[in-house]
């Protein structure tokens, strides 16, 4: 097997502000694994929160790609990866997830079947995805919510954690007014104290919010569990639910855990978490980082196993260099083609002025404006 890397910049359509930061772009490193004329692709994206910059991802994916050379074929490499405990060797879960993605894509293509069938599901998943509105003015939030509702979005996720809690409440209130039929999720990203949470959760319940993600700062699962027990709204752990061990610790104590492939280590790790919490009273949410369709696709192949799907990372981009999972009308699905079922957008599909996002979008190409040329790694 041969592996190659390419780094690109993904610009957001508009800056996304959450309680701890504002993001306008991030870099993605694409891994392509080739064997006997077929190629599979995976993506890892940079994250300040998880301490991953492009240089680190490039170095780690280079090492992982080189390591694939010891396997005779992608099937044996995928089986070995499946049996490993994510993070046991110190590899960040985002890197493991990207390698797994490329192998799943390649194995699926070689077998002529989509990834969801490799994972034991016969039907192609199609689910409503949440669409995120960041911390912004009430006027802008109302306009965005009105547009989303008109385009078919039935789930809206609202970021919270502004210095003035009343600002967050007003944003939710106007979104509820203009999109009365939408299911609302709230995400303070750990910005509240326990006292604030006790005061604010009943008010959000009155506004019809369905569930709240990570209201408290991560690191105190006992406090989180106690808050969830008395909360008038379902609480979903995100930053407190990274690993399988975290999920087991929280199972039955919170109403949901947000599983992101980049933080748990990929689809097989996500399936182990889903199995661990099954029947406990804690439901599965599938989330994502802001990434391209390539980065989102593996999670979409699992999406019908979750109570909540928050798989809109590709929809936040000014230009998504890949296509294949939809989402623009409120639902994500898979194409049914072998492997991940995604493909690079052609030049004719590029919107005007988007060349600075990823340049030419052929993943085997040699570079262009706004990208770092790929490097052979095996």
């Amino acid at each position: 097997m041969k592996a190659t890397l390419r780094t690109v910049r993904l610009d957001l359509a508009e800056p996304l502000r959450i309680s701890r930061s504002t993001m306008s772009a991030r870099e993605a490193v694409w891994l392509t694994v080739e064997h006997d004329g077929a190629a599979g692709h995976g993506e890892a994206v940079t994250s300040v929160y998880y301490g991953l910059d492009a240089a680190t991802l490039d170095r780690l994916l280079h090492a992982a790609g080189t390591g694939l050379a010891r396997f005779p074929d992608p099937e044996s490499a995928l089986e070995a990866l499946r049996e490993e405990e994510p993070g046991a060797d110190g590899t960040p879960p985002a890197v493991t997830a990207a390698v797994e993605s490329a192998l799943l894509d390649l194995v699926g293509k070689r077998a002529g079947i989509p990834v969801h069938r490799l994972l034991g599901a016969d039907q192609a998943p199609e689910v409503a995805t949440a669409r995120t509105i960041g911390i912004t003015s009430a006027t802008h939030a109302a306009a965005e919510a009105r547009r989303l509702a008109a385009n078919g979005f039935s789930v809206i996720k609202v970021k919270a954690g502004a210095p003035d809690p009343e600002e967050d409440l007003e944003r939710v209130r106007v979104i509820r007014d203009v999109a009365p039929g939408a299911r609302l999720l709230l995400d303070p990203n750990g910005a509240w104290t326990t006292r604030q949470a006790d005061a604010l959760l009943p008010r959000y319940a009155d506004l019809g919010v369905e569930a709240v993600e990570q209201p408290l700062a991560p690191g105190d699962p006992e406090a989180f569990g106690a808050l969830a027990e008395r909360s008038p709204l379902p609480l979903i752990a995100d930053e407190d639910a990274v690993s399988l061990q975290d999920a087991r610790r929280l199972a039955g104590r919170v109403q949901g855990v947000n599983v992101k492939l980049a933080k748990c280590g990929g689809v097989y790790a996500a399936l182990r978490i889903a199995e661990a919490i099954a029947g406990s009273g804690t439901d599965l949410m599938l989330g994502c980082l802001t990434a391209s369709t390539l980065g989102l696709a593996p999670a979409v192949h699992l999406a019908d196993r979750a109570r909540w799907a928050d798989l809109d990372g590709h929809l936040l981009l000014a230009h998504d260099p890949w296509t294949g999972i939809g989402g623009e009308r409120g639902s994500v699905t898979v194409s049914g083609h072998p492997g991940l079922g995604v493909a690079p957008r052609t030049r004719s599909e590029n919107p005007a002025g988007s060349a600075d996002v990823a340049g030419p979008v052929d993943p085997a190409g040699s570079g262009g404006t706004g990208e770092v040329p790929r490097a052979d790694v095996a």
Side-chain angles (χ1 to χ4, degrees), residues 10-219:
L10 301 175
D11 287 313
L12 275 67
E14 63 179 49
L16 177 65
R17 179 187 168 197
I18 66 173
S19 62
R20 61 174 176 258
S21 63
T22 300
M23 180 179 63
S24 59
R26 71 186 340 149
E27 289 180 286
V29 181
W30 294 341
L31 170 69
T32 297
V33 179
E34 300 173 85
H35 186 73
D36 286 347
H41 308 286
E43 176 181 274
V45 295
T46 56
S47 170
V48 173
Y49 185 78
Y50 292 112
L52 296 173
D53 57 23
T56 300
L57 289 174
D58 187 87
R59 174 176 57 81
L60 294 171
L61 284 168
H62 184 284
T66 300
L68 293 176
R70 72 183 189 272
F71 296 101
D73 51 54
E75 290 78 12
S76 58
L78 182 62
E79 183 59 29
L81 189 65
R82 180 180 181 178
E83 293 176 354
E84 292 177 1
E85 183 72 23
D89 61 353
T91 301
V95 173
T96 302
V99 175
E100 182 195 69
S101 171
L103 291 173
L104 283 168
D105 192 27
L106 180 52
V107 169
K109 289 173 178 175
R110 281 164 55 87
I113 58 175
V115 164
H116 65 269
R117 287 186 56 193
L118 289 177
L119 302 175
D122 292 331
Q123 298 297 316
E126 181 174 3
V127 300
T129 179
R131 177 66 161 78
T132 300
I133 295 177
I135 298 175
T136 186
S137 70
T139 301
H140 183 70
E144 183 70 357
R146 187 179 291 109
R147 182 186 69 82
L148 293 174
N151 285 338
F153 284 87
S154 60
V155 187
I156 296 176
K157 175 173 167 176
V158 188
K159 291 292 187 176
D164 181 1
E166 296 300 324
E167 178 186 329
D168 293 332
L169 284 157
E170 179 61 17
R171 187 181 318 108
V172 172
R173 189 176 294 112
V174 299
I175 290 171
R176 168 56 71 215
D177 288 344
V178 302
R183 299 163 54 199
L184 298 185
L185 305 176
L186 190 77
D187 185 7
N189 287 106
W192 295 348
T193 65
T194 300
R195 178 176 295 182
Q196 285 177 313
D198 283 327
L200 291 169
L201 286 169
R203 299 180 69 183
Y204 282 110
D206 289 342
L207 288 172
V209 169
E210 179 176 317
V212 177
E213 278 186 70
Q214 196 68 42
L216 305 179

Side-chain angles (χ1 to χ4, degrees), residues 4-8 28-32 42-43 292 294 321-322 358 361 363:
T4 54
L5 300 178
R6 178 182 171 195
T7 301
V8 301
V29 181
W30 294 341
L31 170 69
T32 297
E43 176 181 274
S292 77
L294 174 59
W322 294 78
V361 296

Side-chain angles (χ1 to χ4, degrees), residues 299-373:
V300 177
H301 282 271
L302 300 176
D304 56 352
R305 306 175 194 228
R307 175 177 174 182
W308 300 282
D310 180 22
L311 300 174
D312 67 338
H314 62 307
L315 302 176
L316 303 179
L317 301 179
H319 168 60
D320 182 356
W322 294 78
T323 185
I325 60 173
E328 296 83 359
R329 306 302 295 181
S331 295
V332 289
T333 187
V334 292
S335 66
H337 296 308
L340 291 175
V342 302
R345 291 188 188 274
T346 64
R347 288 179 182 272
S348 62
E349 293 176 298
N350 289 348
S354 67
D356 62 334
V357 176
V361 296
D362 176 5
S366 59
T369 303
E371 70 169 298
V372 179

